[in-house]
Each structure stands twice: as C-alpha cells, then as structure tokens.
Amino acid sequence: MLKIKKQIFLQLRFPDLALEANGLDYHKKSVCITENNIIYCSSSMAIKKGIIPNMRVSTARALCPTLLTKERQECQENELLNKLAQWAYSFSSQVSIRSKGLCIEITGSYRLFGNLLDIKSNIHNYFMKKKYRVSSAFGHTPEMADIFLLLGICPEPHNFKTALKKAPIEALGLKYNDEENLIRMGFKNLGDVLQVSQRELNRRILLESSELIGRISGQKKIIPNWYKPLNIFKQSISFFQEIKTCSELFFPINHLIDDLCEWLNRRQESTEKIKWMLSLSDRKVREIEISLKTPKHTTEGFLSPTLLTLETISLENSINKIELIITKTCKRVDDSADLFNKKKHNNRSQLLDRINAKLGKDSIKRMVRIEDYRPNIANQIQSERELPKCVKIPKKISKRPIWILENPKYLCKDVIFPENMIPLQGPEKIESGWWDENPITRIYWIAETDKNIAWIYQDQKDKSWWLSGWFT
C-alpha cells in the first residue's frame, strides 16, 4: 500500500439526476427534462430514438410524438442530492455537495482498507442497489477529479500526474479568452501549462484561471463546504402521470419508507409520528398524520398503518406528488427477544396501530385509574384523546375488585348487614366529591356470599345497602 501524503477525493456524478428528481417511472419510457424549451436530459429510451441534450423540444417531438416532457426542477434536484449525501455519509464523515454531484474525502478509508478500487466498487454497488446510475473519479482535489470525470478515466494516485499532463486545454474549464490565449501561445494540454512558472502564467491569463489550474494540478486546494446531516427526514416523489387512487401509491410509499428506515437505522433512532403530504392536481395539499402506539424503526411498523389509513381516505383529485416528513425522533429501544430465538414475540403495538388506522383514533379504549377515591369515577374507560394528564393511584387504599358494576345493584335497607353475606373486611368509609357537586358518604365492606366475594357499601344518607362489584 502506498503511503498517502495528500488527501484523496472521490467525485461522484449522477447522469440521471434531473430524471430521478422528477419521478421514478422513466426507465421504460421516452422521457425528457426540458429547460427553456431545450432538452436538458433524456432517458435511455429517448436517446435510442435520437433525442439528445441541447435539442429543441419541437425537434424531439417530431422524432417521438409520444415523448413525455417535464420542466427541470432544480429545487428537487438539490433535495435529491441531500438525500444522496445522507447515504454517502455512511462511507465518510466528509461529504460535500458540488457540481451537481457528491465529493467524498476518502483518505481515511484508503488508509484503513488500502484499495481504492474496492472502495469505489463498494460505493458504486451501494448506489446501484438504490437504482442510481453513477460515474466517479479520484483526485487529490475535487477539481482534479472533475477533469478525470470529463475525460472518462479513473486513474489511481500514482498515475494522477501522467493522466493530468494529457488533459487538453479545452477540458480545463477556463474562461473563453484565457483558453483561446493559451491555445494561440502553443499550449496543447495541461502538461505544457505546468512547465511554465506560476509568475509567468499569471502574466498571460487571469488570476482566477491561474488558481483553477493550481487546484486542478493539486498545487492549491480549497476546503469544500462539508455536508451536515439534517435532524429531520423530508423526502418526496413526483409523478409524470398523475395518480388517481391511493392504491397506486403502494410502491412510492414503500420506497419512501425504506429510505426512512435506513435513515433511522443510521442514526439508531425511532419515531412514533409520521406525516404524509399529498399534493393534488388542484394545487391543494392533503396532510395525513399517523401516530403510532410506540416508536418504530422498521418497514412493517410504518407500512401497514399507512396503507390502512389511506384505505379510509377518498380523494376528489389526482395526486402528482407524495412527501414523507419526520420532525421528531427518539433514541431506539430494542424489542425484547427470546433468549434462544425460538419464536418471535407478537408485536402488540403494531396490532393496535393497524386497528387505529383502520377504525379511527378513538376506536381503542382502555381502563384508566384516576386519582379519586370514588369507585365509579376512579375507574373509567377512555380513549387516548380523553386520557387525563394526571393519572395516579392513591398510596393508601384498600383492596379493590376487578369487576366494578357500572350501576350499583340495590340489596336492602335499614338492616345492620345484608342477609346471606358474611363480612370479611371493613369498614372503609369514603366521603368525597363535595368539590364537583357529586358528593358521596359510604361505608364499604368486603363480604362473602354463597358463590363469590362481593364489594358492598351502605349509603349513609338513607342507610341503604348496594352491591358495587365482585372480586375474582
């Protein structure tokens, strides 16, 4: 392995960036991205029919009447580059978005693994699995890698100088006057220019062009603006042909959820709330927010609630864009598993998420214990929205039955104790509720009957006896 004294950068270019930023269905169709009525980028099917960049749209339509066109959206391209930068961040902590591509500083990876071609192959395979076509080249500076990309070569560090010397003047990207002046002086390639001293070169061309040549040759360097990962997840998919039903959204939704899960796994986090934004053809946006019972980080945890929720929604207009947004995450807590991995645990929270998505947020209710000594108020069945902020159980409290009657059953009146009942525990006096105009004054007993153990009380107002619940 060579001893590296200079930094090594890998510049990535995505030839189909403009197409990818505008949708996913261009692989088997003749599709073009246009800019100012000029073809900017063409799909492989369109290229086979003779439609190439810089061609007029009218000429392209004459060659292919069924051609699909869409105006270039630079904001969506930048959004996609941010997404790609997040993926590249798993290879290096120094990633920069530049020249409509990514620049990755891989010196540390080279020192660790020792084979640049293997590193390049791993990165290419990673993006190819995501179905992104990519080309790349190494360089001591990003500008050096740009030249190699333009020439269609990818030399290793020990061949950088030899390859640079063969680069033609036209490939350097100099200002037109400087490029023309150097050609008139007899310079044919970068090798001829590098033989001239820096002082002499500054006399012949602009300082800006001279510094660019210095960066291309590796003699000068400018530190790129490194990408910083965002704390929110925001990705979208646009459609060439509008979607008319929610059932057609399965594959785009699955694609976005896969990206979300990868983003969460990389950060070792989970989330319990996801937001879908559906952009409709009438320029309205339909917002769908899904709350989960527990934080999730798997495809299964997000996909089922989303699809079930969409089944309950009716859309008046077609969909031209779908967006997934996550603004709040939490640290991941792994699910408990069997010691010997004999069988998987049933995920109760996922079942509850599906029921909520299908039947509505108020479809699931649960028993709630409220800080109140009155049994008919302390034990309630409420939905998630109705849950009180303060739910506590009084510290000093006697035994309570599991089964409490919704309406107490009348037993008798004006007797010391009901017949056929034997007192086991008591008395327990409960006097409460004066503040909410529902006061009670009762004396409770635990009593044994012929069949079960009952919880009874005597109302102190009229000395009547009532059955309140049963112990099991």
Side-chain angles (χ1 to χ4, degrees):
M1 183 178 69
L2 295 174
K3 189 174 181 180
I4 298 298
K5 295 181 180 180
K6 293 183 178 181
Q7 287 181 299
I8 297 180
F9 296 87
L10 178 65
Q11 180 69 36
L12 302 175
R13 289 278 176 82
F14 301 93
D16 301 326
L17 179 68
L19 290 165
E20 291 285 358
N22 280 278
L24 295 173
D25 50 357
Y26 69 90
H27 296 285
K28 297 181 180 181
K29 296 180 181 179
S30 297
V31 179
C32 288
I33 302 298
T34 64
E35 188 174 34
N36 298 326
N37 208 33
I38 299 294
I39 300 297
Y40 175 79
C41 182
S42 304
S43 66
S44 57
M45 293 290 291
I47 292 175
K48 289 179 180 179
K49 295 180 180 180
I51 302 170
I52 58 176
N54 298 322
M55 179 184 288
R56 287 189 173 276
V57 174
S58 57
T59 306
R61 290 195 181 279
L63 293 173
C64 179
T66 59
L67 180 68
L68 296 174
T69 61
K70 193 167 185 180
E71 191 69 18
R72 184 187 179 194
Q73 300 289 337
E74 287 196 64
C75 59
Q76 293 183 7
E77 292 179 21
N78 294 332
E79 183 180 325
L80 178 56
L81 283 172
N82 275 276
K83 170 184 172 180
L84 298 173
Q86 289 182 16
W87 288 343
Y89 207 72
S90 59
F91 293 98
S92 173
S93 61
Q94 292 183 313
V95 179
S96 177
I97 299 175
R98 62 178 298 277
S99 301
K100 291 300 176 182
L102 300 180
C103 180
I104 307 176
E105 202 278 335
I106 58 170
T107 309
S109 298
Y110 179 74
R111 288 171 178 162
L112 181 63
F113 300 108
N115 193 325
L116 285 177
L117 296 181
D118 286 346
I119 296 171
K120 176 186 174 182
S121 177
N122 290 336
I123 294 175
H124 273 239
N125 290 337
Y126 186 81
F127 285 104
M128 291 299 288
K129 286 180 181 178
K130 302 292 182 181
K131 298 183 179 180
Y132 289 104
R133 193 159 61 96
V134 60
S135 56
S136 62
F138 300 108
H140 284 312
T141 62
E143 292 80 7
M144 182 186 295
D146 286 338
I147 296 299
F148 295 147
L149 265 175
L150 186 63
L151 298 176
I153 59 176
C154 184
E156 292 192 59
H158 59 277
N159 289 326
F160 281 172
K161 288 185 178 180
T162 304
L164 275 176
K165 290 179 179 180
K166 298 178 182 179
I169 298 297
E170 294 82 0
L172 301 182
L174 305 177
K175 298 293 184 181
Y176 177 76
N177 292 336
D178 289 337
E179 179 182 308
E180 187 178 11
N181 290 338
L182 288 176
I183 293 174
R184 285 179 179 177
M185 294 176 198
F187 295 100
K188 296 181 179 180
N189 51 47
L190 183 58
D192 297 337
V193 177
L194 294 179
Q195 293 179 4
V196 180
S197 66
Q198 189 69 42
R199 184 176 179 180
E200 290 296 325
L201 189 62
N202 291 341
R203 291 175 58 187
R204 288 169 170 79
I205 60 177
L206 295 174
L207 181 60
E208 180 182 350
S209 297
S210 177
E211 290 182 348
L212 176 59
I213 292 175
R215 294 197 298 273
I216 291 173
S217 63
Q219 298 173 358
K220 295 183 179 181
K221 182 176 66 173
I222 292 180
I223 299 176
N225 294 321
W226 300 120
Y227 168 78
K228 294 181 179 179
L230 302 175
N231 292 324
I232 65 172
F233 179 90
K234 185 178 180 182
Q235 288 188 20
S236 63
I237 295 177
S238 299
F239 307 107
F240 282 110
Q241 296 178 337
E242 295 177 344
I243 301 292
K244 296 182 179 180
T245 61
C246 289
S247 60
E248 298 178 67
L249 292 173
F250 175 78
F251 290 107
I253 286 174
N254 196 31
H255 181 84
L256 290 173
I257 288 178
D258 285 343
D259 290 345
L260 169 62
C261 293
E262 185 172 349
W263 181 76
L264 291 172
N265 289 333
R266 197 160 46 240
R267 298 164 62 92
Q268 288 296 297
E269 293 179 340
S270 301
T271 185
E272 57 185 356
K273 186 174 291 186
I274 60 177
K275 183 190 294 185
W276 293 95
M277 308 290 285
L278 304 180
S279 298
L280 307 179
S281 57
D282 59 356
R283 297 186 178 181
K284 293 182 180 179
V285 178
R286 181 73 177 269
E287 181 178 321
I288 303 172
E289 192 171 278
I290 301 175
S291 298
L292 307 172
K293 289 292 181 181
T294 57
K296 301 290 193 306
H297 61 272
T298 62
T299 301
E300 184 182 359
F302 299 122
L303 186 59
S304 294
T306 298
L307 296 178
L308 290 171
T309 301
L310 288 175
E311 287 180 3
T312 64
I313 294 175
S314 58
L315 298 174
E316 298 179 355
N317 295 283
S318 55
I319 305 167
N320 52 40
K321 180 181 177 182
I322 183 171
E323 187 173 23
L324 176 58
I325 301 174
I326 307 295
T327 57
K328 188 177 181 181
T329 59
C330 60
K331 291 184 178 180
R332 181 181 303 177
V333 178
D334 292 330
D335 298 330
S336 59
D338 189 82
L339 179 61
F340 300 102
N341 294 324
K342 292 182 179 178
K343 57 183 179 180
K344 296 181 179 179
H345 290 268
N346 293 325
N347 198 325
R348 176 176 175 272
S349 65
Q350 288 189 9
L351 174 61
L352 296 178
D353 290 337
R354 294 186 187 122
I355 295 174
N356 268 344
K358 188 69 175 177
L359 303 179
K361 293 184 178 180
D362 295 332
S363 59
I364 298 179
K365 299 181 182 293
R366 64 179 181 178
M367 293 293 298
V368 178
R369 194 67 178 270
I370 298 177
E371 189 178 10
D372 199 301
Y373 284 94
R374 292 169 289 182
N376 57 323
I377 296 179
N379 301 279
Q380 297 186 13
I381 298 177
Q382 296 182 351
S383 65
E384 293 286 337
R385 294 182 181 183
E386 300 169 339
L387 290 180
K389 294 182 179 179
C390 180
V391 180
K392 295 182 180 178
I393 299 176
K395 294 182 179 179
K396 296 181 180 180
I397 192 169
S398 301
K399 291 181 179 179
R400 295 288 185 265
I402 293 177
W403 181 11
I404 294 181
L405 302 180
E406 185 176 355
N407 296 312
K409 182 180 179 182
Y410 176 77
L411 296 176
C412 56
K413 188 177 181 181
D414 296 328
V415 297
I416 297 177
F417 207 83
E419 294 183 6
N420 301 324
M421 289 190 178
I422 302 173
L424 298 179
Q425 183 177 324
E428 177 189 356
K429 187 174 183 179
I430 296 179
E431 187 173 359
S432 181
W434 53 267
W435 57 86
D436 60 5
E437 298 182 356
N438 189 22
I440 64 167
T441 304
R442 302 172 181 173
I443 295 180
Y444 281 83
W445 292 81
I446 298 176
E448 184 179 0
T449 66
D450 295 338
K451 298 180 179 180
N452 295 308
I453 296 177
W455 199 40
I456 64 175
Y457 70 85
Q458 185 184 39
D459 194 329
Q460 296 303 294
K461 291 182 179 180
D462 57 2
K463 301 300 180 179
S464 59
W465 287 89
W466 300 78
L467 175 63
S468 181
W470 296 98
F471 288 91
T472 58

